[in-house]
Amino acid sequence: MKMKREIAARCLAAPGLRSALSTALPRAGVLVLNYHRVGDGTRSRYDRALWSATAEGFDDQVGFLKANCDVVGLDEIGDALRQRRGRHVAITFDDGYLDNHEIAFPVLRRHGVPATFFIATGFIDRRLLPWWDAIAMQVRETTRERLDLREWMPAPLVLEHGDREAAIGRVLAAYKSLPIDQATRFRERLAEQTGIEAPEVVEGHWMDWDMIRGMAAAGMTIGGHTVSHPVLSSLPVDVQREEIAGCAARLREELGIAMSHFAYPVGSRGSANADTRRLLREAGVRYAYSFYGGIATAASTRLDLQRTAIANGIDRNLFRAMVQLPQVFCRPAGA
Ligand SMILES: [Zn+2]
């Protein structure tokens, strides 16, 4: 499927063809793109799958968006959704990584393009190493030849000759599909099997509040992404409330803003439930964003606006086809 999309995107790269098709096939709605990290992740100790683009690649993408689309900030999304046709695109970043400020922000400023940053406030406040980065580090750096996670993975994971990045992907996938009450046991078992304790706190990983204030002052939108990045639907209501109201409170205290925009951690179809949506409304959230692909349209509910991920190492032709013909190239997953 992925290959087919890339081949189709390459065929459309002939001069003028993609733009002509884009004009001939008008669309409604807003293509909300999602990024996590920008820069060179190839030697990172952490989860390398989180890098959405290199600095140069991101610069190229933003330049293309500026020249060929109407890039809107999320504070304009209500108006953009109501327009019957257009080529509206929004840029969003999740989590609050330091490279968002150091690398992405200067590129955005240079092009004069707005973006939104969804912040998990506990990461900024406490400099915590998130579980996905911890697991990637443990599996990458262990000297053990195999990992026995038999309760959760059918066979021992052989590391000695295999592709270490693929092994990291498999352990992360196993962790993501766990029932919440097994998460701690899984992490303990992984520490024992790898012989590596993940540190709780990490330096140089996250932005700080001064950086986020600076971006807000420069016209960037700041939204909420909970306190500690749990899958909200897996939690009891009172804990969900702490995650949502607690995030809103920190954004208000540090930035003096209301949490009008919110991105669901993980953002799959099942990551929020009716309680989540009620709590978001109570917290004053106007728009909430998912992460299973697709385009946000006037037909989307306000608390489930679809976003499309920009994947690590995405081909330039595919990126351009996605933003000019999203109705073809940005279908939601599992639809
Ligand atoms: Zn996130």
Side-chain angles (χ1 to χ4, degrees), residues 58 62 91 93 100 103-115 117 220:
F58 184 64
V62 174
I91 299 171
F93 279 83
N100 293 185
I103 299 175
F105 178 46
V107 171
L108 292 161
R109 282 193 97 162
R110 202 159 54 241
H111 288 280
V113 159
F117 296 84
M220 301 293 154

Side-chain angles (χ1 to χ4, degrees), residues 34-36 50 93-97 118 120 123 132 225-226 229 263-267 291 307:
N34 182 249
Y35 295 82
H36 280 87
L50 254 62
F93 279 83
D94 283 7
D95 299 344
Y97 280 99
F118 291 104
F123 293 164
W132 55 89
H225 197 42
T226 71
H229 207 283
Y264 298 106
V266 181
F291 189 61
R307 294 189 297 170

